[in-house]
């Protein structure tokens, strides 16, 4: 399942639970409770709130551990040691991608299965360096900032035609600021 | 404890106060309609149903973002003023000064955009709006920045006056926030929730506005002398510190209306509690430190800063879900509340806020942000809690004020059509954004790829319904506020 679809499903599930809670209360608004029933409602409300608090707390720690114990962003001050290193420079309104050690302008060809290290920066204003996979979804992104070199480590698993688009507003030519590259199978396919 | 009388005497407005409040309210609803129309135009263009040149599109986007956030700030300030003046001494001149400076600031911004062609959006990122290739002059950028400064100064004046009022009555801001009761002691049941919320807003948003002022002044320096440059990452942190707190302050100011009005419509007390005080104390800290979640894709940020951004984003859901949403639902449950416009809008507002922060919290997760950042997922969640949360909170107060002046019930046939139209339009509009985010449609683009246009067109239909509903609300509120004579008094029975 595509990552974005999982996020969408989790979001819909959470929003649906909240909607159900509201619908339950709305349906019962028209049946006013007497004083003793109100006290009972408040007692039960406090109890259920405690249950919800515990559930959310467990969810909070579980989600934090699951998403942070292996930090999703590579160390920026260390050598990442990838075999393929690409330097990406954004400027109003184009991208320049070059494999390290090769002159810019050569078509970029990468292979699947082996990590690629992108060093992303900007020659002028802020840009957003987003790699779109052949299915049209964002695979990975970082910001391209003047004066900073953001390192992205990504392993392509699907060969095909990839696109780099700018995801940070950078002026009137922002929308068409894009480039493309090919990823081939590790065995050349 | 908040009053249970629907229209209490201490909320009566003098003739001058009424004129100023009406000015805020009518300006706000007119501006909301205009900004929504701009939004509709942009969605129509993205859906390829009309053509807007990119330079004009980004001017419209700048106007829409700045106008919506500024108007939201302006009208929610009026919400806070309306209730806080019952508890502490507020000077009308500060409230008036805020509006006048907002007006002058708005004129500077409108001039910069439509005369000077400014198009760097409301949260411009340094070295924009003064750097390099652009379709506007440094002069236009300077006018835009000056507009921000005027609006910020107006809000600071209002906050400082309110802070003095709070300190005058409670001794210091900590006591106004109720910190003395966090761990022990009998909570004063008459300590107003409005005071707690207002204090939190003042502490947080004064910091935010000052951070924004630093960015504005440095940007003006850069506009005057482009040779002088600053660290882009530091500037970005300051920009988002300001932007995040400013827009979040609107939520916390608007929710005051809910705390004050809901018990009157349900007829059931909504007392202040220790969890409530904890939630506001925690929210005060959270809102100040959570802004790095806007910079999760700035890999150059220190790792601990990004972790704070994620952890606090998730933690910020606790007060909203466990205290405010839960408290509101408990107060409503089996209350026998009549469904009139204020009560409908309040329930919608609470739903919009609670449901809207689910996709927002997910987006605050670093691993998720890597694929969702700056896609339409982002306008999807912030439109959700602003359109279906904050705006209905303010509309609830405006309808309530009309109710205090009119003889009619706030449940006309037109209201009963306008409300579901707004809800339906809002859901279509926001879910079109969220679904586009799922498909990685980029935000803030004048032109869209052909495969992106389906969600744009669905969103356009939602936007059209929203505009129609808001147009009705605006007319209803403007006419309702302006046509009744000032000496009209409270009319209605409590429920």
């Amino acid at each position: 399942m595509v990552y974005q679809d999982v996020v969408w499903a989790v979001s819909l599930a959470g929003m649906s639970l909240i909607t159900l809670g509201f619908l339950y209360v709305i349906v019962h608004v028209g049946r006013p409770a007497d004083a003793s029933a109100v006290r009972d409602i408040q007692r039960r409300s406090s109890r259920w709130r405690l249950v919800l608090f515990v559930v959310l707390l467990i969810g909070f720690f579980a989600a934090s551990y699951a998403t942070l114990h292996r930090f999703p962003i590579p160390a920026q001050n260390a050598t990442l040691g990838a075999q393929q290193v690409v330097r990406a420079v954004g400027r109003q309104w184009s991208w320049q991608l070059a494999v390290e050690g090769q002159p810019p302008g050569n078509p970029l060809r990468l292979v699947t299965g082996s990590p690629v290290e992108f060093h992303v920066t900007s020659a002028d204003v802020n840009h957003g360096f987003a790699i779109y996979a052949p299915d049209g979804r964002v695979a990975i992104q970082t910001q391209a900032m003047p004066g900073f070199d953001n390192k992205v480590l990504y392993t392509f698993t699907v060969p095909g035609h990839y696109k780099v688009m700018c995801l940070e507003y950078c002026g009137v030519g922002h929308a068409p600021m894009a480039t493309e590259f090919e990823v081939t199978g590790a065995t050349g396919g | 404890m908040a009053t249970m009388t629907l229209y209490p005497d201490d909320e009566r407005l003098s003739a001058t106060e009424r004129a100023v409040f009406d000015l805020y309210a009518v300006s706000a609803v007119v501006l909301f309609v205009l900004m929504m129309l701009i939004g509709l135009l942009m969605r129509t263009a993205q859906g390829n149903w009309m053509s807007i040149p990119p330079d004009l599109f980004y001017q419209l986007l700048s106007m829409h973002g700045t106008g919506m956030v500024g108007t939201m700030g302006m009208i929610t300030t009026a919400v806070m003023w309306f209730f806080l003046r019952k508890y502490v001494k507020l000077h009308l001149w500060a409230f008036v000064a805020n509006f006048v400076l907002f007006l002058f600031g708005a004129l500077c911004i409108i001039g910069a955009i439509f005369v000077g062609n400014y198009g760097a959006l409301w949260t411009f990122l340094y070295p924009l709006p003064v750097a390099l290739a652009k379709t506007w002059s440094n002069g236009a950028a300077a006018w835009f920045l000056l507009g921000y400064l005027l609006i910020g100064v107006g809000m600071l004046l209002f906050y400082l006056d309110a802070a003095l009022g709070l300190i005058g009555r409670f001794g210091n801001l900590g006591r106004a926030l109720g910190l003395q009761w966090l761990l022990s002691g009998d909570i004063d049941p008459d300590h107003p929730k409005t005071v707690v919320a207002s204090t939190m807003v003042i502490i947080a948003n004064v910091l935010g506005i000052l951070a924004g002022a630093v960015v504005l002044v440095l940007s003006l320096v850069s506009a005057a002398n482009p040779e002088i440059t600053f660290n882009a990452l530091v500037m970005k942190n300051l920009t988002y510190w300001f932007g995040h707190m400013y827009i979040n302050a609107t939520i916390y100011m608007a929710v005051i209306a809910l705390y004050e009005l809901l018990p009157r419509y349900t007829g059931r007390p909504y007392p202040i509690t220790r969890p409530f005080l904890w939630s506001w104390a925690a929210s005060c800290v959270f809102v100040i430190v959570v802004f790095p979640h806007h910079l999760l894709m700035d890999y150059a940020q220190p790792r601990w800063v990004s972790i704070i951004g994620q952890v606090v984003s998730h933690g910020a859901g606790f007060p909203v879900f466990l205290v405010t949403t839960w408290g509101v639902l408990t107060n409503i449950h089996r209350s026998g509340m009549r469904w009139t416009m204020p009560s409908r809008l309040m329930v919608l507002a609470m739903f919009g806020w609670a449901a809207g922060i689910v996709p927002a919290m997910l987006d605050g997760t670093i691993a998720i942000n890597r694929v969702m950042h700056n896609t339409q997922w982002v306008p999807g969640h912030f439109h959700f809690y602003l359109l279906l949360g904050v705006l209905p909170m303010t509309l609830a107060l405006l309808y309530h004020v009309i109710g205090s002046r009119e003889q009619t019930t706030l449940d006309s046939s037109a209201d009963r059509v306008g409300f579901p139209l707004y809800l339906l339009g809002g859901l279509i509009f926001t879910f079109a954004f969220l679904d586009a985010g799922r498909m990685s449609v980029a935000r803030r683009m004048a032109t869209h790829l052909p495969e992106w246009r389906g969600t744009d067109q669905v969103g356009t239909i939602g936007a059209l319904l929203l505009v129609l509903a808001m147009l009705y609300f605006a007319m209803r509120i403007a006419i309702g506020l302006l046509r009744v004579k000032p000496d009209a008094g409270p009319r209605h029975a409590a429920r």
Side-chain angles (χ1 to χ4, degrees):
Chain A
M1 199 172 185
V2 180
Y3 203 68
Q4 283 90 340
D5 292 339
V6 175
V7 176
W8 167 255
V10 172
S11 189
L12 281 187
M15 294 168 97
S16 301
L17 279 176
I18 290 167
T19 307
L20 286 176
F22 272 81
L23 287 177
Y24 174 79
V25 169
I26 287 167
V27 164
H28 289 85
V29 164
R31 291 173 41 213
D34 59 23
S36 76
V38 169
R39 279 195 297 277
D40 187 45
I41 286 169
Q42 283 164 347
R43 243 192 329 267
R44 279 188 292 134
S45 167
S46 298
R47 214 165 36 233
W48 278 107
R49 179 161 67 179
L50 191 63
V51 172
L52 182 63
F53 174 66
V54 172
V55 169
L56 287 179
L57 205 60
I58 292 169
F60 170 78
F61 283 113
S64 298
Y65 178 78
T67 56
L68 291 174
H69 80 284
R70 289 175 63 184
F71 198 67
I73 295 171
Q76 298 295 299
N77 297 324
T79 307
L80 300 180
Q83 288 181 347
Q84 307 172 91
V85 179
V86 176
R87 301 213 165 264
V89 181
R91 58 170 52 85
Q92 291 174 314
W93 287 282
S94 63
W95 291 104
Q96 185 183 75
L97 305 183
V99 173
E100 196 170 53
Q102 291 182 11
N106 287 355
L108 186 65
R109 288 186 180 281
L110 302 169
V111 294
T112 59
S114 156
V116 183
E117 193 176 318
F118 291 91
H119 290 218
V120 182
T121 190
S122 164
D124 41 45
V125 300
N126 282 266
H127 301 278
F129 176 83
I131 298 175
Y132 276 71
D135 66 355
R137 308 289 184 92
V138 172
I140 191 77
Q141 66 170 305
T142 188
Q143 291 273 296
M145 289 189 71
F148 293 89
D149 200 25
N150 286 333
K151 289 185 204 166
V152 179
L153 195 62
Y154 188 73
T155 303
F156 293 93
T157 53
V158 180
H161 204 62
Y162 285 75
K163 195 170 180 179
V164 174
M165 295 187 76
C166 180
L167 283 196
E168 190 63 78
Y169 176 70
C170 56
V172 73
H174 167 59
M177 182 175 163
T179 189
E180 294 169 341
F181 62 89
E182 283 295 319
V183 174
T184 54
T187 53
Chain B
M1 194 184 298
T3 177
M4 299 297 289
T5 310
L6 196 55
Y7 304 121
D9 279 340
D10 58 359
E11 273 176 19
R12 275 174 176 275
L13 298 165
S14 70
T16 317
E17 287 172 335
R18 179 185 156 131
V20 178
F21 181 79
D22 289 358
L23 209 54
Y24 267 84
V26 175
S27 308
V29 291
V30 170
L31 284 169
F32 279 134
V33 171
L34 291 175
M35 295 307 121
M36 280 186 181
L37 277 170
I38 290 176
L40 173 63
L41 280 179
M42 290 188 295
R43 292 301 275 148
T44 311
Q46 287 176 328
N48 207 32
W49 280 342
M50 69 178 289
S51 173
I52 298 178
D55 51 347
L56 179 59
F57 182 94
Y58 294 120
Q59 288 171 39
L60 292 175
L61 186 53
S62 302
M63 189 69 254
H64 176 79
T66 312
M68 277 299 189
V69 172
T71 307
M72 207 68 94
M74 181 260 282
I75 190 62
T76 52
T77 305
V79 174
M80 176 172 152
W81 171 85
F82 186 85
F83 294 109
L84 186 62
R85 71 198 160 89
K86 295 191 297 178
Y87 310 112
V88 302
K89 182 167 176 50
L90 297 181
H91 295 92
L92 191 62
W93 64 261
F95 190 48
V96 173
N98 178 46
F99 185 78
V100 172
L101 286 167
F102 172 85
L103 214 58
F104 281 123
L107 287 174
C108 291
I109 287 167
I110 291 167
I113 291 173
F114 292 113
V115 180
N117 301 325
Y118 173 90
L121 315 188
W122 89 273
T123 47
F124 56 84
L125 296 178
Y126 177 86
L128 286 176
V130 293
L132 305 167
K134 56 189 189 293
T135 48
W136 58 91
S137 66
N138 277 359
W143 277 104
F144 186 87
L145 298 172
L146 180 66
Y148 264 24
L149 274 180
L150 291 174
I151 291 172
V153 168
M155 216 161 194
L156 269 184
L157 279 176
F158 173 75
Y159 284 153
L160 291 176
D161 182 55
L164 286 176
L166 288 164
I167 292 168
R169 173 160 174 197
F170 298 98
N172 57 53
L173 293 180
R175 294 190 70 80
L177 198 56
L179 299 183
Q180 68 277 24
W181 297 309
L182 283 186
L183 297 176
S184 62
D186 294 328
I187 299 169
D188 177 1
D190 292 325
H191 192 75
K193 290 181 173 176
T194 297
V195 163
V196 176
S198 301
T199 307
M200 179 273 211
V201 166
I202 290 167
I203 294 169
N205 210 16
V206 165
L207 288 174
I209 290 172
L210 291 177
V214 173
V215 175
L216 297 180
V217 170
L218 296 183
S219 296
L220 282 168
V221 168
S222 200
N225 187 350
E227 298 299 312
I228 300 175
T229 59
F230 303 99
N231 182 306
L233 187 57
V234 172
M235 293 288 270
K236 197 189 240 184
N237 273 279
L238 286 169
T239 300
Y240 281 118
W241 204 28
F242 151 73
H244 180 85
M245 279 201 275
Y246 191 92
I247 194 61
N248 272 267
T250 69
I251 305 175
Y252 296 120
M253 289 191 281
V255 78
I256 292 171
L258 228 137
Y259 288 141
E260 287 275 349
L261 298 180
L262 189 70
R264 304 184 205 173
Y265 283 84
T266 59
R268 192 183 283 172
Y270 189 7
I272 193 162
T273 59
R274 219 180 300 279
F276 176 89
L277 293 173
W278 267 104
S279 82
W280 278 89
S283 294
C284 187
V285 177
F286 290 168
V287 78
I288 292 170
V289 302
V290 75
F291 73 93
H293 68 192
H294 293 280
L295 296 104
L296 298 177
M297 291 303 99
D298 287 288
Y299 290 8
Q301 285 269 74
R303 189 172 279 194
W304 63 269
V305 176
S306 298
I307 291 173
I308 285 179
Q310 169 173 325
V311 170
V312 177
S313 291
H314 293 179
F318 281 69
V320 180
F321 291 133
L322 291 169
V323 178
T324 304
T325 308
W326 200 262
V328 163
L329 289 178
T330 304
N331 193 264
I332 294 169
H333 186 51
R334 296 190 61 194
S335 63
M337 178 174 72
R338 268 187 63 199
W339 290 109
T340 58
M341 281 306 280
S343 56
R344 279 192 200 110
L345 286 163
M346 281 190 282
V347 174
L348 169 63
M350 198 60 249
F351 167 74
W353 188 17
I357 63 171
V358 174
M361 285 167 63
L362 289 171
D363 193 30
T365 312
I366 299 167
I368 292 173
N369 199 253
R370 289 184 309 178
V371 295
M372 290 305 203
H373 183 67
N374 278 346
T375 67
Q376 290 202 337
W377 189 260
V378 184
H381 62 68
F382 74 65
H383 277 99
F384 208 106
Y385 53 73
L386 293 177
L387 254 178
L388 299 176
V390 183
L391 189 48
M393 286 179 199
T394 61
L395 293 177
L397 171 64
L398 300 182
Y399 260 100
H400 173 81
V401 172
I402 294 172
S404 72
R405 297 179 189 176
E406 285 185 354
Q407 297 276 5
T408 55
T409 310
L410 294 166
D411 187 28
S412 67
S413 305
D415 288 335
R416 270 179 267 155
V417 173
F419 180 81
L421 196 65
Y422 186 85
L423 174 60
L424 182 68
L427 290 175
I428 294 173
F429 179 71
T430 49
F431 273 105
F433 269 140
L434 290 172
D435 191 41
R438 178 181 70 85
M439 297 192 303
S440 296
V441 176
R443 69 186 288 211
R444 299 179 180 141
M445 281 195 179
T447 48
H448 275 187
L449 301 175
E451 59 267 31
W452 290 353
R453 289 177 190 154
T455 53
D456 296 332
Q457 290 168 354
V458 172
T460 305
I461 293 166
L464 182 65
L465 300 180
L466 268 172
V467 170
L468 290 174
M470 189 62 209
L471 189 62
Y472 164 70
F473 288 155
M475 289 193 302
R476 174 78 181 90
I477 287 166
I479 293 169
L481 288 176
L482 299 177
R483 78 172 170 199
V484 181
K485 293 192 178 85
D487 59 350
R491 306 283 182 223
H492 291 259
R495 305 266 294 272

